[in-house]
Amino acid sequence: MKVALRFALLIVPAVIAGVLIACGGGGDSSSPSSSGSEATKPPAATQPPAATQPPAATQAATSNTFDVSIQNLTYSPATLNVRAGQSITVNVANKDTVPHTLTLTGATGDTGTIAAGASKTLTFTAPAAAGRISFFCTVHGANTMSGAIVVQ
């Protein structure tokens, strides 16, 4: 029992020190330590730089033209935000090795089959009322490949 307790007393601080060093809590050994508020401030590098950037899977309605790529049975971006009543152009690039489509449900629009490595353009007018239009690949089905156009 005493041996196990001594072992635990030696191992636990070593593990904690390793975690602190791995998480950046070890500090910079080349700079002198300071006392006071400066020592408690986290380094600027620990701030998450991507926290203010919008998600890559959504493209906002800053214009009426959108670029969508298809790769690995996925639309990117998978969500487009558009303005109600606006004429929309979607440029679709098939970067996969098999054919795909981008077909709208609840609105008229279909690229038709897009061969592997090819591109097509779909133009339509967004509904006048806010809502959601789904799109999918008719070759692979909505359960495999789908996305959405959010009308605002």
Side-chain angles (χ1 to χ4, degrees), residues 61 81-88 125-131 150-152:
N81 294 309
V82 303
R83 292 184 187 100
Q86 187 177 39
S87 176
I88 306 298
T125 300
V150 178
V151 181
Q152 303 168 340

Side-chain angles (χ1 to χ4, degrees), residues 3-117:
V3 173
L5 181 59
R6 285 184 191 164
F7 182 73
L9 290 173
L10 292 173
I11 295 299
V12 170
V15 170
I16 292 172
V19 168
L20 288 175
I21 290 170
C23 294
D28 183 3
S29 61
S30 65
S31 64
S33 63
S34 61
S35 60
S37 64
E38 288 299 316
T40 60
K41 288 184 182 177
T46 62
Q47 303 299 325
T52 59
Q53 297 190 12
T58 302
Q59 192 168 347
T62 55
S63 74
N64 64 343
T65 301
F66 299 89
D67 295 323
V68 174
S69 64
I70 301 172
Q71 192 166 17
N72 298 324
L73 300 175
T74 303
Y75 295 104
S76 181
T79 303
L80 307 176
N81 294 309
V82 303
R83 292 184 187 100
Q86 187 177 39
S87 176
I88 306 298
T89 300
V90 182
N91 300 312
V92 185
N94 183 359
K95 297 179 180 179
D96 251 340
T97 58
V98 295
H100 294 290
T101 72
L102 190 146
T103 304
L104 303 178
T105 57
T108 304
D110 186 352
T111 59
T113 301
I114 308 169

Side-chain angles (χ1 to χ4, degrees), residues 78 102-107 109 131-136 142 145-150:
L102 190 146
T103 304
L104 303 178
T105 57
R132 184 179 177 99
I133 302 168
S134 296
F135 59 85
F136 68 101
M145 286 183 67
S146 62
I149 298 171
V150 178

